[in-house]
């Protein structure tokens, strides 16, 4: 068996050493030391953790800081203004280099511009942008002022954007005229124009990215280049309380309504910077780091913006997609910028595998020394391919388990310490405590027993709640096993070596290409179509995307009939979901059925639908009200629909 132990050379230079595990025995002292090591405070904190109002934590109580100052100004003050912060790789061949001194000027100007538009501390700002540097600048400008940002993934629909603007009561939306997709200019502001009317957002700030025609509302719309470029490049970063809200990020839960996950400043920044340093092994003076996530997801927040910038790292910011202008573009970028740390998702790795190892083989990838994986379990085969064909057979892979809610990495190997186990995120990092519980809430200790992953101690970057819904926060995360356990929603088991294997979600949440989607949200999108009476959605396993959305729909017999039929109707329903939520939520397949399998109490048995969707023998149907339903569905399934 191959031994994936770190080499002595790697261990010697590693940021994260084994002694951290010992140090973490004193939980609060450990985190207080990390907060001092990784963050510059304007006002020192007193108590490290106040858990008296559990599950609402306060970390680094009384401390004051500015996240934007920590990510930008202090590096310039330390004499590193000439260091590249962002190698911007545009989707249109228009690359740019932004140093830390440039970033300071741009963030200061943007902060002044936001203030001139009336944004003040505490106001929420929605950001709906492609992967352009202005997105990063906008987030840091908001953080500087103390106006929590709510970044909405640019692939979400205008309806999804509207719901998020409304829930967070955003005062301003920042967007761009359009975005480049596979070399073509596509609209973006258009969705904002449809989302904003009737909401609290009185102003829309627009970056000109593509130059495509846009509708313009003189009262409401403002060009970025008009207000930001003319603003002063001096802006004093005020100190904010450690617990001041930094951002809201919406994520799917088990109901149709997305949850606004709230993160605050001091604890979040501490854990992002610490984990980026010890897990990705970032040496800011020499490394070129590249996280391929979109800033619309938590990975982009923590491991493009806050972690690496707090550490003063040099990174690549890529606007494009892995297949444009060609399937070797990732490796071309690695070669050109000598990327040494690459952090990406299993779905991308499996796609590269499908395209073939001969593509990366054409490029010089010898600069790579650490690889990371995030978003879903990585299958051992993809892990080995990644190590072999991208990591030169020797780069450690850090498989990092965490969530929007946890804010930063929780389980992961340390690349200079851990003997790697392909497919497992292995164990909690120093400072984090996890257990696996059985149905009754008893800790599992034996290998191969399947249970629920829980976190047993508060951690600095933990969510502070769900925006506007404290009860839902308690119910969702702190009630399944009692108030002392954070329930992560993932199934897990130990192996004989004590490694934790994440087995996927145990709730009605799917993971498609590392993105979280809720079955309930897609079901409610489907039933909002006039032809659909009832719908059930399951996540079926998919070779490339991990899971894929498969829907079962019953059509209405009354009222509105006529219109499209057959494949045309299915296409219409898929597009409808795309419109309601976004293209990522479009079902891979939609089955029109006459019945859905239900228990006698009327609950849809998704487990059985999943069996069908994954072409398995259908499981136990004894609790079904009408067991013949499954045969009907299976017969229909023989002829798949959709594309
Ligand atoms: O099921 C786990 C899976 O992704 C979920 C969190 O999704 P989200 O909040 O969108 O954040 C994704 C980026 C951190 C988890 O509950 N997940 C994430 N990383 C891993 C993972 N499953 C297994 N291994 C991982 N490394």
């Amino acid at each position: 068996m191959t031994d994936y132990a770190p080499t002595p050379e790697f261990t010697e230079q590693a940021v994260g050493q084994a002694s951290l595990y010992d140090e973490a025995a004193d939980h609060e002292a450990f985190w207080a030391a990390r907060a001092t090591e990784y963050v510059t405070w304007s006002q020192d904190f007193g108590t490290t953790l106040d858990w008296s109002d559990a599950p609402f934590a306060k970390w680094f109580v009384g401390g004051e800081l500015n996240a934007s100052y920590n990510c930008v100004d202090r590096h310039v003050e330390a004499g590193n203004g000439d260091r590249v912060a962002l190698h911007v790789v545009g989707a249109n061949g228009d690359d740019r280099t932004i140093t830390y001194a440039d970033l300071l000027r741009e963030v200061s100007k943007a902060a002044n511009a936001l203030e001139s538009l009336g944004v003040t501390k505490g106001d929420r700002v929605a950001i709906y942008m492609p992967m352009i540097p202005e997105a990063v600048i906008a987030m840091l400008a908001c953080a500087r002022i103390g106006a929590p940002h709510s970044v909405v993934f640019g692939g979400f629909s205008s309806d999804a954007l509207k719901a998020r603007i409304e829930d967070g009561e955003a005062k301003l939306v920042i967007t761009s005229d359009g975005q480049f997709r596979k070399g073509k200019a596509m609209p973006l502001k258009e969705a904002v124009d449809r989302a904003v009317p009737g909401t609290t957002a009185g102003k829309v700030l627009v970056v000109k990215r593509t130059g495509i025609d846009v509708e313009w509302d003189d009262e409401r719309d403002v060009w970025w280049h008009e207000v930001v470029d003319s603003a002063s490049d001096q802006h004093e970063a005020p100190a904010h309380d450690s617990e001041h809200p930094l951002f809201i990020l919406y994520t799917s839960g088990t109901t149709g309504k997305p949850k606004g996950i709230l993160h605050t400043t001091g604890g979040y920044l501490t854990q992002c910077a610490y984990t980026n340093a010890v897990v990705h092994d970032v040496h800011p003076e020499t490394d070129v780091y590249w996280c391929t996530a979109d800033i619309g997801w938590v990975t982009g927040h923590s491991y493009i913006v806050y972690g690496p910038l707090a550490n003063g790292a040099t990174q690549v910011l890529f606007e494009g997609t892995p297949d444009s202008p060609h399937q070797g573009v990732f490796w071309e970028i690695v070669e050109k910028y000598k990327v040494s740390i690459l952090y990406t998702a299993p779905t991308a790795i499996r796609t590269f595998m499908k395209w073939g190892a001969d593509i990366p083989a054409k490029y010089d990838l010898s600069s790579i020394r650490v690889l990371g994986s995030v978003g879903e379990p990585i299958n051992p085969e993809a892990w080995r391919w990644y190590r072999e064909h991208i990591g030169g057979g020797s780069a450690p892979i850090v498989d990092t388990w965490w969530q929007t809610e946890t804010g930063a990495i929780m389980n992961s190997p340390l690349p200079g310490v851990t003997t790697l186990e392909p497919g497992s995120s292995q164990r909690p990092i120093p400072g984090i405590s996890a257990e696996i519980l059985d149905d009754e809430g008893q800790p599992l200790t034996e290998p191969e027993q399947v249970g629920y992953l829980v976190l047993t101690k508060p951690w600095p970057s933990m969510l502070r709640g769900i925006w506007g819904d404290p009860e839902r926060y308690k119910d969702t995360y702190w009630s399944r096993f009692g108030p002392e356990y954070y329930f992560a929603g993932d199934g897990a088991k130990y192996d004989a070596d004590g490694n934790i294997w994440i087995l996927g979600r145990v709730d009605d949440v799917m993971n498609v290409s590392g993105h979280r989607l809720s079955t309930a949200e897609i079901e409610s999108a489907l039933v909002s179509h006039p032809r659909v009476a009832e719908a059930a959605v399951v996540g079926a396993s998919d070779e490339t995307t991990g899971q894929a959305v498969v829907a079962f729909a019953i059509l209405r017999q009354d009222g509105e009939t006529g219109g499209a039929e057959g494949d045309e109707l299915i296409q219409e329903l898929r597009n409808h979901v795309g419109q309601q939520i976004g293209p990522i939520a479009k079902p891979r397949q939609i089955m029109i059925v006459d019945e859905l399998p239900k228990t006698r109490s009327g609950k849809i048995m998704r487990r059985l639908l999943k069996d069908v969707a994954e072409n398995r023998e259908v499981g136990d149907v004894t609790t079904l009200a009408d067991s013949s339903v499954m045969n009907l569905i299976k017969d229909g399934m023989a002829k798949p629909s959709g594309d």
Side-chain angles (χ1 to χ4, degrees):
M1 212 186 104
T2 320
D3 182 8
Y4 295 116
T7 62
E9 298 77 48
F10 193 100
T11 301
E12 202 193 327
Q13 62 79 57
V15 181
Q17 295 291 332
S19 55
L20 286 169
Y21 290 101
D22 305 328
E23 210 188 315
D26 187 341
H27 188 63
E28 290 183 29
F30 175 83
W31 281 115
R34 301 292 81 73
T36 313
E37 183 180 358
Y38 288 100
V39 171
T40 303
W41 298 84
S42 319
Q43 167 78 47
D44 288 343
F45 55 89
T47 309
T48 300
L49 167 66
D50 177 357
W51 191 229
S52 58
D53 189 25
F56 298 92
K58 288 195 182 75
W59 278 91
F60 311 123
V61 184
E64 292 182 8
L65 74 163
N66 186 292
S68 168
Y69 171 86
N70 271 273
C71 290
V72 190
D73 310 43
R74 65 170 173 162
H75 307 312
V76 179
E77 287 170 14
N80 295 319
D82 291 340
R83 184 183 295 163
V84 175
L86 302 171
H87 287 295
V88 178
V89 183
N92 216 26
D94 44 355
D95 301 353
R96 280 164 70 185
T97 300
I98 298 178
T99 64
Y100 274 96
D102 296 333
L103 193 59
L104 176 56
R105 278 189 292 274
E106 292 305 319
V107 171
S108 300
K109 284 202 245 177
N112 282 320
L114 291 183
E115 282 175 345
S116 75
L117 293 173
V119 176
T120 56
K121 183 168 176 169
D123 289 339
R124 272 81 62 203
V125 174
I127 297 180
Y128 183 67
M129 293 173 92
M131 283 290 290
I132 55 177
E134 287 82 357
V136 176
I137 293 165
M139 289 165 76
L140 291 170
C142 288
R144 199 170 184 91
I145 297 172
H149 52 71
S150 163
V151 181
V152 180
F153 174 54
F156 277 129
S157 67
S158 64
D159 286 351
L161 173 63
K162 190 184 190 75
R164 287 156 176 77
I165 293 172
E166 280 174 342
D167 189 76
E169 297 179 287
K171 187 170 184 177
L172 172 83
V173 182
I174 310 181
T175 188
S176 64
D177 57 347
Q179 57 182 331
F180 288 110
R181 277 280 160 257
K182 303 193 199 300
K184 273 200 354 225
M186 307 292 283
L188 191 67
K189 178 175 184 286
E190 201 177 274
V192 178
D193 292 338
R194 275 181 278 129
V196 161
T199 69
T200 43
K203 291 273 176 214
V204 177
L205 182 57
V206 189
V207 174
K208 188 177 256 180
R209 175 62 188 122
T210 59
I212 55 171
D213 282 342
V214 287
E215 299 272 316
W216 201 256
D217 177 338
D218 284 331
E219 295 293 299
R220 187 195 71 188
D221 300 342
V222 184
W223 283 114
W224 175 283
H225 58 262
E226 284 177 4
V227 288
V228 176
D229 291 359
S230 59
S232 158
D233 63 7
Q234 303 293 313
H235 185 279
E236 185 81 25
H240 301 300
D241 189 88
S242 179
E243 283 300 331
H244 186 68
L246 182 61
F247 67 85
I248 307 167
L249 183 59
Y250 287 84
T251 188
S252 298
T254 52
T255 72
K257 189 173 183 284
K259 301 176 285 196
I261 302 299
L262 173 65
H263 284 286
T264 60
T265 310
Y268 174 79
L269 197 66
T270 298
Q271 196 172 329
C272 285
Y274 155 68
T275 49
N276 177 242
V278 303
V279 174
H280 296 116
D281 195 47
V282 172
H283 298 259
E285 311 77 27
T286 47
D287 275 313
V288 178
Y289 165 93
W290 181 18
C291 165
T292 69
D294 189 285
I295 44 122
W297 308 104
V298 74
T299 308
H301 284 59
S302 303
Y303 296 108
I304 294 177
V305 182
Y306 292 106
L309 293 178
N311 287 331
T314 294
Q315 56 179 325
V316 168
L317 185 76
F318 180 44
E319 187 185 7
T321 47
D323 56 351
S324 175
H326 56 84
Q327 294 177 340
V329 66
F330 264 42
W331 320 122
E332 191 175 79
I333 293 171
V334 168
E335 180 180 275
K336 178 168 177 191
Y337 294 99
K338 298 198 169 29
V339 171
S340 53
I341 305 168
L342 178 70
Y343 192 33
T344 193
T347 183
I349 298 163
R350 289 192 295 265
T351 303
F352 297 137
M353 274 174 82
K354 220 163 51 185
W355 290 346
D358 53 318
I359 298 177
K362 290 188 203 128
Y363 299 89
D364 177 7
L365 307 182
S366 60
S367 53
I368 288 187
R369 56 175 209 88
V370 179
L371 294 172
S373 173
V374 59
E376 56 175 312
I378 178 167
N379 44 312
E381 192 196 351
W383 193 104
R384 292 198 186 90
W385 188 94
Y386 194 30
R387 167 121 163 161
E388 189 59 34
H389 297 288
I390 308 303
S394 62
I397 298 176
V398 287
D399 176 359
T400 60
W401 175 86
W402 57 294
Q403 309 178 298
T404 305
E405 292 87 341
T406 70
I409 293 167
M410 305 296 281
N411 288 1
S412 171
L414 291 188
V417 179
T418 316
T419 295
L420 305 172
E421 178 61 45
S424 162
S425 53
Q426 301 197 274
R427 59 196 65 198
I429 57 162
I432 300 301
S433 312
E435 275 179 15
I436 302 174
L437 303 182
D438 68 12
D439 268 320
E440 273 72 54
Q442 294 307 311
L444 294 177
T445 47
E446 294 295 313
E448 302 305 322
Q449 290 180 316
V450 174
Y452 304 94
L453 186 69
V454 295
L455 302 166
T456 56
K457 282 188 187 140
W459 61 101
S461 65
M462 67 195 292
L463 75 167
R464 298 303 196 264
I466 294 175
W467 187 257
D469 203 345
E471 282 311 309
R472 191 174 177 195
Y473 168 61
K474 287 192 215 167
D475 289 351
T476 309
Y477 304 106
W478 302 94
S479 65
R480 174 71 176 80
F481 297 106
E484 65 271 39
Y485 292 113
Y486 168 89
F487 173 46
D490 280 311
K493 64 170 191 185
Y494 292 110
D495 65 16
D497 298 322
N499 293 307
I500 295 175
W501 290 72
I502 306 288
L503 303 171
R505 305 285 308 189
V506 295
D507 50 14
D508 293 328
V509 172
M510 293 166 290
N511 192 323
V512 178
S513 298
H515 298 145
R516 245 158 96 169
L517 294 170
S518 114
T519 53
E521 209 178 334
I522 300 177
E523 284 163 5
S524 84
L526 278 168
V527 296
S528 74
H529 188 282
R531 298 284 301 280
V532 177
E534 216 182 326
V537 165
V538 295
S541 51
D542 183 280
E543 226 176 86
T544 307
T545 59
Q547 285 191 312
V549 180
V550 175
F552 299 80
I554 302 177
L555 296 184
R556 284 175 67 152
Q557 301 302 320
D558 60 324
E560 204 165 326
T561 50
E565 289 300 337
D567 284 350
E568 211 182 311
L569 173 62
I570 284 165
Q571 204 50 42
E572 185 177 312
L573 296 178
R574 292 182 71 238
N575 290 340
H576 180 73
V577 174
Q579 237 160 45
Q580 295 277 307
I581 304 172
I584 46 162
K586 278 188 183 179
R588 181 185 74 185
Q589 256 175 308
I590 299 180
M591 285 289 308
I592 306 291
V593 293
D594 293 328
E595 295 281 353
L596 288 169
K598 287 188 183 151
T599 60
R600 284 173 192 92
S601 64
K603 207 168 143 24
I604 294 174
M605 296 186 71
R606 284 207 182 72
R607 179 174 55 79
L608 298 181
L609 291 174
K610 214 170 137 118
D611 287 345
V612 174
E614 293 177 347
N615 297 317
R616 266 198 308 271
E617 272 305 298
V618 175
D620 183 10
V621 294
T622 47
T623 51
L624 264 181
D626 172 7
S627 59
S628 62
V629 168
M630 286 318 295
N631 290 331
L632 287 173
I633 292 177
K634 257 176 47 188
D635 291 347
M637 196 71 186
K639 186 185 144 290
S641 305
D643 54 355

